[in-house]
Amino acid sequence: MHCVDLNCDMGEGFGVYRTSLDSELMKYITSANIACGFHAGDAATIRHTVKLALAHGVAIGAHPGLPDLAGFGRRAMDITPEEAYELTVYQLGAVYAFAKSEGGAVAHVKPHGALYNMAAKSRPLADAIAEAVYKVEPSLLLFGLAGSELIRAGDAIGLQTISEVFADRSYESDGSLTPRGTEGAIIADPARAAEQAIKMIRDGEVRTRQQSSFILKADSVCVHGDTPGALAHAIRLRAELEAEGIAVKKAGR
């Protein structure tokens, strides 16, 4: 029987700007990746989102990003592995403390945006992030793009890694995500997104933008909270997975 985790990036507001869909999306997912304050989020938002996750029985994850509020962490920055290590530890610490203070615990770490994509291709950055997670708590799960350097780095240091796939994004022939801004990068149709996710889970492959097939492992499926129609995506995906007999449950041991 196939099973999969369903995750979503959350808590990506700050100050008076709230991500209003979080409370609804929580009903359909099993893991929440909570922004840690660098690309989005702040103390109040982290705490609020942690409490939402606990109320819905959803796994809490830290979602560290590059220090770029204006660019939402989606613009690449020239950082060193040491800087990647430090910003990961710093941001993980914020969510870790709020989870503990509310009677919960952090289950996983998933880098955000440009940091995620940079670590997918750069082994030095991937090693630094994996080391940061391992040194804070070696039992934490490390989420990374399926087939990426981040997954290999996590495996090498002894972390349990979770190979992540995307329902609402198209893929390139090398297994990377199509860059945002490229035509077809975002899959807006919930039915098509669900179809792609099910194929990745059941068949272990995805059809790329170049019309080739890329073999991958699918432990967790991401639906972006800021994708147009995100709630419709989550509802359709959860229903389609269950209709196909694919169990939806939290990632990990």
Side-chain angles (χ1 to χ4, degrees):
M1 181 179 181
H2 293 290
C3 63
V4 72
D5 173 63
L6 187 55
N7 80 79
C8 187
D9 303 341
M10 295 193 152
E12 292 185 316
F14 60 91
V16 298
Y17 302 100
R18 296 286 182 178
T19 46
S20 58
L21 288 178
D22 282 4
S23 59
E24 289 299 313
L25 285 164
M26 284 283 186
K27 300 174 183 177
Y28 301 97
I29 65 170
T30 47
S31 295
N33 318 308
I34 301 176
C36 310
F38 275 29
H39 76 279
D42 57 19
T45 306
I46 294 170
R47 184 185 183 206
H48 173 74
T49 312
V50 163
K51 291 174 74 173
L52 269 179
L54 289 172
H56 287 84
V58 170
I60 296 168
H63 195 40
L66 295 172
D68 181 20
L69 279 174
F72 197 60
R74 286 181 174 156
R75 301 183 293 193
M77 296 175 67
D78 186 13
I79 64 170
T80 66
E82 183 177 30
E83 289 169 324
Y85 173 92
E86 291 162 352
L87 65 82
T88 300
V89 171
Y90 185 97
Q91 293 177 81
L92 169 54
V95 178
Y96 192 100
F98 274 110
K100 184 176 177 62
S101 71
E102 296 295 335
V106 173
H108 68 276
V109 177
K110 173 190 164 181
H112 165 80
L115 182 63
Y116 181 95
N117 291 324
M118 290 157 58
K121 295 183 176 182
S122 168
R123 185 56 183 265
L125 289 180
D127 283 336
I129 292 169
E131 182 185 4
V133 174
Y134 186 86
K135 284 188 173 179
V136 171
E137 177 50 66
S139 67
L140 290 170
L141 307 175
L142 178 62
F143 281 47
L145 183 67
S148 70
E149 292 294 343
L150 187 57
I151 293 295
R152 286 186 277 274
D155 289 338
I157 204 170
L159 292 168
Q160 183 177 357
T161 56
I162 302 299
S163 294
E164 183 182 33
V165 298
F166 291 81
D168 55 6
R169 295 291 304 278
S170 67
Y171 283 76
E172 299 297 285
S173 58
D174 63 355
S176 63
L177 300 178
T178 302
R180 289 178 180 272
T182 303
E183 185 177 355
I186 308 298
I187 299 174
D189 178 13
R192 185 178 158 215
E195 180 182 8
Q196 173 169 287
I198 289 167
K199 182 173 181 61
M200 290 188 285
I201 298 162
R202 190 174 54 202
D203 301 336
E205 66 176 10
V206 65
R207 195 71 174 167
T208 71
R209 192 169 61 94
Q210 292 78 22
Q211 298 305 307
S212 60
S213 290
F214 185 82
I215 305 302
L216 42 64
K217 182 183 180 185
D219 297 321
S220 184
V221 180
C222 176
V223 175
H224 286 99
D226 65 333
T227 293
L231 183 57
H233 273 264
I235 293 171
R236 180 65 178 261
L237 179 55
R238 183 72 185 251
E240 292 283 349
L241 291 171
E242 292 174 349
E244 289 289 327
I246 298 170
V248 180
K249 63 179 187 178
K250 295 177 187 177
R253 302 172 182 86

